[in-house]
Amino acid sequence: MSGDSLNESLIERLKQFSARPYDNIEIIRSVTARLHSQAASQDKLIRGKILERLCRKNTGVLGLILHLLETVKDQLTTCSLAGILRECVSPRIGITLRKNRSPVIRQLIAINASQTLVKLLLQMQVKESNVPEILLQEILWVISQLAQRDPKFSLKARLLGAVKTFHYLLRMHHNNTRLIFPLLLIIKALSRNTYTTTVLLKDGIVPTVEKTLVTMGFSPSPKLKLCLSVLHHLSKNKSCCSRIVKTGLIPLLLRLVERWERYDGKMRIRICNHILVILQNICLSKLGRKTVIGNNGLQIMYKFCITCPEEKCYDPLLTRVCNVINLCLAKKNLPVDSHSSPAVFRLPYAKENTSEANGGSSRETSPDSEDESTEEFPEDDDDGVTQEENLKELPENKSSDYVPRSALREADDLKQYESFFQELRGPCVCSKMKCNSGSREITLKKSCSFDALMGESDLKKKIMEFNLTENTLHFSSAAYTGASQSHNSNCSTRNESKDQCIQGKSFPVDGGGENISESSSTLISQNNLMLKKDVAQTPNGRSLASSREMIKGLTVFENIPNYSTFHYAYSVIASRVNSVLPFVKVAYPDMMGSEGSGKLEPLNIKDRRTCRSKLLNCVERGLHPNQVMNKVVYDLDSWSSVDPSHRLINASEKVLFNMDERHLGSGEPEKRHLIFESRFESGNLRKAIQVGLREYDLILMPDVNSSKHHQWFYFEISGMETDVVYTFNIINCEKQNSQFNYGMKPIMYSVQEAVAGRSGWVRVGTDICYYRNSYQNPAGKYRTYLTTTFSLKFPHANDICYIAYHFPFTYSRLLAHIWKWSCEIDPSKIYFRAESLCVSLNNNETPLITLSAADSEENPLLKREIIFLTARVHPGESNSSWVMHGTLCYLLGDTAAAIKLRNRYVFKIVPMLNTEGVINGCHRCGITDEDLNRRWSHPSQHLHPIIYHTKGLLEYCTKVLKKPPYLFCDYHGHSRRKNVFLYGCCNSESWNEADRSVPDNPVDYLMLPNLMKDLSPAFALSLCSFAVERNRESTARVTVWRQLGIKRSYTMESSYCGCDQGTYMGYHLDILHLKEIGANFCEALACLKEESQWQTELLETNKQGGRCEILSPGSQEDAASDSPDHSDSSEFDDEEYHS
């Protein structure tokens, strides 16, 4: 009989007699023994054939074996059955069969093998005092392999009461070389879960692990590595760390570090890595640091730093050693008076309890771990939130399938949004916009009339003095008197200020304290002036009335003449913006509407030796803090110490403009340091400290009313020398990793270069590195901040340069572009309307843009579908604004696809959801210190007005108009991944069982990403995910999908950095490429409804058994393993996280 026939015969006999196992026990024992012999054969061919037959999917053989294990009580049969399962999941079955191991384990998990085997083990422990070691070994080996892959193993073990049993077995067999390995694997799986870790700790797991380590000795081995890995996971628990300190484990661990040179190869690196992570977790407590220092730990670690080999594989170890040293150093506070932001805004209402609605604060990535799968300087092994930990975020007494209750509003309450849909309901007759429920109305406050400040002839004269040619810009002080910093300003006060200016009195400008009179500021010849003679028409010959009709809902544009230049309009708008801290100027790049170079700029190649040097230098500075200069050269706190109740009143008297061109080349020789400034819109720099001749430590501002969220920076530098290297260390970063470690460069704008007509924003910097320092972070997981460091040479002496994290896009710039579009659009072709959706907490208007083709009898607006787009809910994600800008420019263009989109859809666009955060230079939150992308499920009308009313618009479409948007997309930026990608929603990938029971059509959510893959060179389909996770329930994407039933609900993420695939692989994304992404998105929308080749391929793939060829599950797993903010979630990235 051939081998295949024998195998089939044995399996058939087993099936035949399994129906009545007690009556056929002898036959079953014989058959199972022969099958086990075949599966454990030394002949690879025989073993391969039987294992392939046993593990074949949908044959039910594995289920039959589990059934027999549950019913047969014969020890020999049970041992043979367990042995068969062990061979099926064994990691030693050869290269060919090892590839099939994962599917077998998934099969066993799907049929509850973990639960069956744990129950069997518990029964054996209770009923039989002397269990044969070989039987125990076989069962434990199978359980250990399943435990590593079963995400619910810890929960199953806890519910079965098996956690203490596994610990008991480890305690009894800690010196048994056959059983110790599978037992440690099981304990490792249990230690990954918060609840089972607590049970193990109460049961005394730490002394057991210590006893196991002592038994193993100091010789490197897989068992030693595994035991340290168990301790690594246990040490994430604070209680465990205190127990480790009280035992004798710390001297033992330090001794292992001291002997690290005796280990070889990868085993050395892995063992050292586990020890250093344990020490890092222990040093988070005061007692732990004291114990490490008392056992000569600092000297041992410092010796490790000095003797660490230069090979790349040792870089992660050096990073961890430096982290431990920084933690052990004397407490070192950030050199600021308070960790809280100096920008304080008094909220009109107390914060509401929204814990039920908001499940977590991490970014969209799942889990939000680090950005790269192979890190050079990794900070954390596993930052993902476990399924068990997420339970803590739910209300008490809620099941694991709990979904936040719906917060939809009644139809009567939604009628206040009728005026925002006048194109679908006829002309709007409302003179006021109702933005609250009931009878309460929020009437937008209008700024004082520009004409009231000066006569028409004076107005024309001053505009003449302001409007100049492209590369020449000088300023007349009186030209700014019509701009107001605050909508609440008193008109009589401002008229008085105007009279003083017109009479020739000087006033402070540019924050420098100097006074510029009107006579000294008019320096332009008449040849450079640009003034339109026909003030009744816009530059394209259209009437002013039609232009103003488009933007009449935004009072910030009042009395800005249509013939003004962009930089004049920007300055007037910026002066009318309300900020928490007063601004002293407008930034030159923003005022001039500057963009990037438009070139492909290569990613930075990190110099490992430089990064090592900076790490060691950081340690040296911590050990010898008195050897640095520490001269404060910029301190925002000292300027923001004015009583907050007076800030806006004083700010309203200030008129903002820019004098950078005049100050070029005029250095201050008496100041032997750089001059910094960040008091302008979206600026962020709190303090600058000179620590060396040309080296500066920089401290970023936290978000308003917060003590955290430090990532976005944007500041001005002047007084530099040329051709010398300056080093900047941003010392209070929070994210565990950054794209600065993977090729990203900061950006710089030189005013001197711009005046000469050369590039605007460019990528700059050398010696770029991101690492942990020794400054205490009271809110951080590891209690210390991280440093972003870079060096650069300035192109000109005494230039004025701006440095930023990413290309800035301010609130005033958005408004200036809307004003510009209103002057250029032909209303006979394009329906364009910009109005204020509501006012923010600080009384800034929120623009809502409606865009479509002009109404016609053949194609009435009423019959068109709606597409709803939003962006910039996280203020630091300026790349999302540039992508949105690209989308808007494309939709306003004259391409065939743009015309087609306008004819087919009405676009409702809220281009900036977090205006206050953008204005005040925040990174993550607004002025309520809340992540607004975690407030969509239950937004507060009073604290989150923009989210509340944006959601109200969507509800109005769905409930009142009965026209649910065809598509919703929220634009974001991602700080920890490269490329561009989409997150969508899929029933089958939801965390909620009720969702999974409802079938959906994959074409609905897969069509758009597949179109983007073909249209956008920066798009990475492999990074897309359609999972609906429990801690994302209050994000825009999931809320719109779940509560409003919009199946095409997306988040589009764009990298701050660049691409690692496709045409742009190895290059940064410039402004040009970000706008291109927005245009590509529109092109994909234009194809979305067509019966095209892509849709046919999707349907065919769906018929063949899913979407595996379009977006493989494997690619999703890879994406999840690479993700942080994360950090970026950030998630914190990146939608939804922690960019």
Side-chain angles (χ1 to χ4, degrees):
M1 184 181 291
S2 67
D4 290 341
S5 302
L6 177 62
N7 294 338
E8 289 294 336
S9 173
L10 291 172
I11 291 172
E12 287 301 320
R13 291 189 69 192
L14 191 64
K15 289 180 178 179
Q16 178 184 352
F17 295 106
S18 63
R20 303 179 64 183
Y22 295 107
D23 297 337
N24 304 287
I25 190 65
E26 294 293 335
I27 299 175
I28 292 175
R29 183 189 302 157
S30 172
V31 172
T32 54
R34 292 189 67 179
L35 284 172
H36 184 208
S37 175
Q38 292 275 89
S41 172
Q42 296 299 314
D43 189 320
K44 292 183 180 180
L45 183 62
I46 294 174
R47 186 171 76 247
K49 285 184 177 181
I50 186 62
L51 290 178
E52 190 277 330
R53 178 63 184 85
L54 289 170
C55 300
R56 194 179 298 164
K57 197 172 182 181
N58 300 325
T59 59
V61 178
L62 294 176
L64 175 63
I65 293 173
L66 285 177
H67 169 70
L68 290 172
L69 277 172
E70 287 183 292
T71 54
V72 174
K73 305 303 178 184
D74 179 65
Q75 280 193 355
L76 292 176
T77 305
T78 302
C79 191
S80 296
L81 291 168
I84 294 169
L85 287 179
R86 178 182 175 179
E87 295 301 329
C88 290
V89 300
S90 174
R92 63 175 180 82
I93 56 179
I95 296 174
T96 304
L97 291 172
R98 191 177 296 152
K99 295 178 181 178
N100 298 324
R101 182 168 158 255
S102 293
V104 174
I105 292 175
R106 284 198 293 270
Q107 280 188 61
L108 288 170
I109 291 171
I111 58 177
N112 282 327
S114 307
Q115 201 167 349
T116 301
L117 292 169
V118 171
K119 283 182 180 178
L120 178 63
L121 183 66
L122 291 173
Q123 291 171 3
M124 290 167 50
Q125 291 295 310
V126 172
K127 295 182 179 180
E128 302 175 30
S129 57
N130 295 317
V131 181
E133 183 178 314
I134 184 65
L135 175 58
L136 187 61
Q137 180 184 342
E138 299 288 9
I139 293 174
L140 287 175
W141 264 108
V142 180
I143 293 175
S144 69
Q145 298 305 309
L146 296 178
Q148 296 176 80
R149 302 290 184 91
D150 189 347
K152 296 185 178 180
F153 177 77
S154 297
L155 179 63
K156 294 173 183 176
R158 181 163 61 89
L159 294 176
L160 291 170
V163 178
K164 292 184 179 180
T165 301
F166 288 124
H167 178 216
Y168 168 77
L169 290 171
L170 177 63
R171 189 164 59 236
M172 297 301 296
H173 301 285
H174 70 274
N175 57 355
N176 187 320
T177 55
R178 292 179 180 272
L179 297 179
I180 188 64
F181 202 88
L183 281 169
L184 285 173
L185 282 174
I186 295 169
I187 297 296
K188 178 182 175 181
L190 293 173
S191 66
R192 287 175 172 170
N193 180 273
T194 309
Y195 292 96
T196 48
T197 296
T198 303
V199 175
L200 288 170
L201 289 174
K202 290 180 179 179
D203 202 42
I205 187 67
V206 174
T208 305
V209 174
E210 180 192 11
K211 194 186 302 182
T212 306
L213 270 175
V214 171
T215 303
M216 289 179 182
F218 298 101
S219 301
S221 65
K223 293 175 184 176
L224 176 62
K225 178 183 75 69
L226 181 57
C227 189
L228 290 170
S229 177
V230 170
L231 199 58
H232 166 182
H233 289 286
L234 289 171
S235 68
K236 294 179 181 180
N237 184 289
K238 291 182 180 179
S239 178
C240 177
C241 289
S242 63
R243 285 174 166 83
I244 291 173
V245 171
K246 292 174 183 177
T247 63
L249 271 173
I250 289 183
L252 181 62
L253 294 171
L254 289 173
R255 190 176 175 188
L256 285 168
V257 174
E258 204 170 11
R259 297 163 58 95
W260 74 279
E261 291 179 329
R262 303 183 186 184
Y263 307 148
D264 296 320
K266 291 183 178 179
M267 189 64 68
R268 170 198 288 185
I269 295 172
R270 290 171 180 171
I271 288 175
C272 288
N273 184 64
H274 287 310
I275 296 171
L276 292 172
V277 172
I278 296 166
L279 291 174
Q280 181 174 285
N281 292 333
I282 288 171
C283 289
L284 294 177
S285 68
K286 184 177 180 180
L287 181 60
R289 293 191 293 271
K290 184 178 179 181
T291 307
V292 169
I293 295 169
N295 284 276
N296 206 31
L298 273 181
Q299 288 77 5
I300 293 172
M301 298 293 168
Y302 188 68
K303 181 183 176 183
F304 185 103
C305 290
I306 296 171
T307 58
C308 186
E310 289 291 328
E311 286 86 349
K312 182 179 179 179
C313 59
Y314 290 96
D315 288 350
L317 296 184
L318 182 62
T319 302
R320 292 205 183 278
V321 170
C322 291
N323 291 345
V324 175
I325 293 174
N326 286 330
L327 285 169
C328 289
L329 291 173
K331 189 174 181 181
K332 189 176 178 183
N333 290 319
L334 208 61
V336 291
D337 295 334
S338 169
H339 285 276
S340 298
S341 174
V344 179
F345 183 85
R346 295 176 182 173
L347 297 176
Y349 301 91
K351 284 188 182 180
E352 299 174 1
N353 182 10
T354 54
S355 59
E356 181 180 329
N358 307 297
S361 59
S362 55
R363 285 186 55 83
E364 169 65 58
T365 49
S366 53
D368 189 21
S369 58
E370 301 308 332
D371 214 283
E372 305 292 333
S373 55
T374 55
E375 300 174 26
E376 296 182 14
F377 287 82
E379 294 295 339
D380 294 287
D381 289 330
D382 184 12
D383 281 341
V385 180
T386 66
Q387 197 171 32
E388 294 279 338
E389 288 169 335
N390 278 334
L391 287 170
K392 296 187 290 184
E393 299 172 350
L394 297 175
E396 294 182 5
N397 303 322
K398 296 292 181 182
S399 69
S400 59
D401 281 346
Y402 168 75
V403 179
R405 60 183 175 83
S406 174
L408 298 181
R409 293 146 67 183
E410 296 298 327
D412 289 342
D413 185 27
L414 296 172
K415 287 182 180 178
Q416 61 185 288
Y417 301 108
E418 183 176 0
S419 63
F420 298 109
F421 293 89
Q422 56 186 272
E423 70 281 356
L424 302 179
R425 286 294 188 110
C428 179
V429 295
C430 301
S431 60
K432 296 180 180 179
M433 286 188 305
K434 296 180 180 180
C435 295
N436 287 325
S437 61
S439 61
R440 186 179 175 215
E441 296 177 348
I442 295 180
T443 305
L444 297 176
K445 294 180 177 147
K446 299 183 179 181
S447 57
C448 296
S449 172
F450 196 92
D451 292 333
L453 299 180
M454 59 180 68
E456 185 179 352
S457 60
D458 287 334
L459 173 61
K460 293 181 183 179
K461 178 181 177 182
K462 301 311 172 185
I463 292 171
M464 285 179 64
E465 294 174 357
F466 194 95
N467 292 336
L468 312 172
T469 53
E470 293 181 19
N471 300 319
T472 309
L473 182 64
H474 300 274
F475 298 89
S476 168
S477 58
Y480 285 91
T481 56
S484 169
Q485 175 87 4
S486 171
H487 292 296
N488 295 322
S489 301
N490 185 289
C491 289
S492 62
T493 302
R494 290 169 50 193
N495 281 330
E496 184 179 336
S497 301
K498 181 268 305 182
D499 292 338
Q500 291 176 354
C501 292
I502 291 182
Q503 290 168 12
K505 295 186 179 181
S506 58
F507 59 94
V509 298
D510 203 30
E514 53 180 312
N515 293 330
I516 307 297
S517 66
E518 181 179 343
S519 58
S520 63
S521 62
T522 308
L523 304 174
I524 309 304
S525 67
Q526 292 297 324
N527 292 333
N528 288 332
L529 298 178
M530 297 175 63
L531 177 65
K532 299 295 178 181
K533 294 182 179 179
D534 186 2
V535 297
Q537 291 185 340
T538 60
N540 64 3
R542 210 161 41 73
S543 69
L544 281 173
S546 59
S547 172
R548 295 197 181 279
E549 185 68 22
M550 294 180 182
I551 55 174
K552 67 177 183 179
L554 289 162
T555 61
V556 73
F557 297 135
E558 282 190 352
N559 304 305
I560 300 179
N562 291 55
Y563 44 78
S564 304
T565 57
F566 181 88
H567 49 263
Y568 170 74
Y570 181 92
S571 297
V572 173
I573 292 168
S575 297
R576 295 174 177 176
V577 169
N578 297 323
S579 60
V580 176
L581 295 180
F583 297 146
V584 299
K585 65 183 298 183
V586 291
Y588 186 90
D590 304 324
M591 182 187 70
M592 298 303 294
S594 300
E595 298 192 3
S597 64
K599 301 175 182 176
L600 283 173
E601 300 187 61
L603 297 175
N604 179 57
I605 299 174
K606 186 166 72 173
D607 187 338
R608 290 179 42 255
R609 288 181 175 80
T610 299
C611 290
R612 277 173 165 252
S613 174
K614 288 181 179 289
L615 276 171
L616 295 175
N617 183 51
C618 178
V619 170
E620 291 287 348
R621 281 179 58 179
L623 293 170
H624 309 98
N626 297 324
Q627 295 182 2
V628 293
M629 189 181 299
N630 284 330
K631 179 183 178 182
V632 177
V633 297
Y634 179 79
D635 187 4
L636 186 62
D637 291 44
S638 62
W639 287 315
S640 61
S641 58
V642 182
D643 183 352
S645 63
H646 296 301
R647 285 176 187 163
L648 286 179
I649 297 173
N650 294 337
S652 67
E653 299 172 3
K654 186 80 175 177
V655 182
L656 301 178
F657 53 100
N658 184 285
M659 297 291 290
D660 285 354
E661 286 191 24
R662 174 172 292 186
H663 292 161
L664 288 175
S666 58
E668 300 181 40
E670 69 280 2
K671 292 186 177 180
R672 295 179 170 243
H673 60 77
L674 295 176
I675 301 169
F676 295 83
E677 183 57 84
S678 65
R679 291 174 293 168
F680 47 80
E681 191 172 339
S682 293
N684 189 314
L685 178 65
R686 183 175 188 177
K687 198 168 190 175
I689 305 170
Q690 188 176 17
V691 295
L693 183 61
R694 295 187 181 91
E695 184 173 3
Y696 297 83
D697 281 357
L698 307 179
I699 300 174
L700 304 181
M701 280 267 291
D703 287 356
V704 176
N705 289 344
S706 177
S707 61
K708 52 189 178 181
H709 307 304
H710 310 89
Q711 179 170 315
W712 171 260
F713 56 87
Y714 182 22
F715 54 88
E716 173 198 301
I717 298 177
S718 58
M720 69 284 290
E721 301 176 52
T722 186
D723 292 328
V724 296
V725 176
Y726 289 88
T727 300
F728 301 95
N729 310 309
I730 300 172
I731 62 174
N732 63 331
C733 301
E734 291 176 313
K735 289 204 171 185
Q736 302 305 306
N737 212 336
S738 167
Q739 281 294 315
F740 283 123
N741 266 341
Y742 305 103
M744 180 172 160
K745 294 181 179 181
I747 60 172
M748 185 180 78
Y749 184 97
S750 165
V751 175
Q752 185 70 60
E753 288 287 294
V755 169
R758 291 187 281 270
S759 298
W761 289 104
V762 293
R763 297 279 180 175
V764 293
T766 57
D767 299 343
I768 301 170
C769 191
Y770 190 83
Y771 58 88
R772 192 172 294 281
N773 59 41
S774 58
Y775 288 105
Q776 301 293 313
N777 176 13
K781 180 181 178 183
Y782 288 106
R783 300 285 180 86
T784 60
Y785 288 107
L786 294 101
T787 295
T788 298
T789 179
F790 56 91
S791 300
L792 56 87
K793 290 183 179 181
F794 294 102
H796 306 283
N798 293 317
D799 193 0
I800 297 175
C801 294
Y802 292 81
I803 309 291
Y805 179 78
H806 195 71
F807 306 105
F809 195 103
T810 63
Y811 170 69
S812 296
R813 180 164 190 157
L814 170 65
L815 293 173
H817 280 298
I818 292 173
W819 169 83
K820 182 181 177 183
W821 288 327
S822 73
C823 299
E824 297 173 346
I825 290 171
D826 184 353
S828 65
K829 297 179 180 178
I830 300 176
Y831 183 91
F832 180 88
R833 191 174 78 252
E835 54 200 318
S836 179
L837 173 61
C838 61
V839 290
S840 65
L841 291 178
N842 202 16
N843 206 31
N844 292 299
E845 295 173 311
T846 304
L848 166 67
I849 296 174
T850 303
L851 200 158
S852 189
D855 199 8
S856 65
E857 292 184 3
E858 298 80 15
N859 182 22
L861 283 162
L862 187 61
K863 292 187 177 181
R864 300 173 199 171
E865 292 193 87
I866 298 170
I867 287 181
F868 210 106
L869 306 177
T870 61
R872 206 69 180 276
V873 72
H874 297 136
E877 296 170 5
S878 59
N879 47 354
S880 68
S881 282
W882 284 110
V883 176
M884 179 60 78
H885 186 65
T887 295
L888 285 164
C889 289
Y890 188 90
L891 291 174
L892 293 169
D894 55 3
T895 63
I899 295 170
K900 177 180 176 182
L901 284 170
R902 294 197 299 266
N903 286 327
R904 178 173 285 175
Y905 302 107
V906 173
F907 288 87
K908 291 288 182 181
I909 301 173
V910 184
M912 197 166 283
L913 288 168
N914 195 337
T915 56
E916 295 300 340
V918 173
I919 291 166
N920 294 287
C922 300
H923 167 63
R924 187 73 181 172
C925 304
I927 56 179
T928 62
D929 190 25
E930 295 173 290
D931 184 346
L932 294 184
N933 204 36
R934 289 297 182 278
R935 296 294 177 264
W936 280 83
S937 182
H938 292 74
S940 165
Q941 179 179 356
H942 307 298
L943 293 175
H944 324 118
I946 302 177
I947 303 299
Y948 180 83
H949 292 301
T950 302
K951 185 180 179 184
L953 292 177
L954 287 159
E955 290 184 54
Y956 182 85
C957 293
T958 305
K959 244 182 175 179
V960 179
L961 293 180
K962 307 299 183 184
K963 286 173 69 78
Y966 179 72
L967 179 143
F968 170 84
C969 189
D970 188 21
Y971 291 14
H972 282 255
H974 208 291
S975 66
R976 301 195 188 187
R977 282 186 179 177
K978 293 182 173 66
N979 312 308
V980 179
F981 47 96
L982 284 166
Y983 293 121
C985 297
C986 167
N987 284 346
S988 61
E989 294 185 39
S990 172
W991 64 273
N992 184 262
E993 188 176 350
D995 294 337
R996 296 194 298 272
S997 65
V998 179
D1000 53 14
N1001 183 6
V1003 173
D1004 290 337
Y1005 55 85
L1006 287 175
M1007 187 67 179
L1008 181 64
N1010 276 271
L1011 288 168
M1012 285 292 289
K1013 175 196 69 173
D1014 291 302
L1015 293 169
S1016 176
F1019 193 81
L1021 186 62
S1022 62
L1023 293 180
C1024 294
S1025 173
F1026 303 92
V1028 179
E1029 297 171 301
R1030 175 164 42 192
N1031 60 345
R1032 304 290 184 267
E1033 281 293 332
S1034 289
T1035 61
R1037 169 179 63 93
V1038 180
T1039 298
V1040 169
W1041 172 76
R1042 182 180 298 287
Q1043 295 187 8
L1044 303 179
I1046 300 172
K1047 54 192 174 183
R1048 298 177 190 85
S1049 180
Y1050 299 98
T1051 294
M1052 184 161 67
E1053 299 273 3
S1054 304
S1055 175
Y1056 286 108
C1057 182
C1059 297
D1060 57 11
Q1061 53 90 51
T1063 307
Y1064 299 149
M1065 182 171 65
Y1067 292 95
H1068 286 96
L1069 289 173
D1070 190 74
I1071 289 176
L1072 178 68
H1073 308 121
L1074 293 171
K1075 293 198 295 184
E1076 179 187 62
I1077 293 162
N1080 297 149
F1081 184 79
C1082 294
E1083 291 170 351
L1085 290 180
C1087 301
L1088 200 54
K1089 277 203 163 187
E1090 303 297 332
E1091 289 294 332
S1092 61
Q1093 177 184 356
W1094 293 296
Q1095 189 170 11
T1096 304
E1097 291 174 356
L1098 284 166
L1099 290 170
E1100 287 300 318
T1101 306
N1102 190 34
K1103 290 176 183 177
Q1104 293 169 8
R1107 55 183 180 84
C1108 54
E1109 293 181 15
I1110 302 165
L1111 179 60
S1112 66
S1115 66
Q1116 286 193 56
E1117 290 175 9
D1118 293 341
S1121 65
D1122 290 347
S1123 66
D1125 195 31
H1126 345 104
S1127 170
D1128 172 42
S1129 210
S1130 2
E1131 224 217 19
F1132 298 101
D1133 187 326
D1134 275 14
E1135 183 184 10
E1136 281 179 3
Y1137 242 147
H1138 14 31
S1139 344

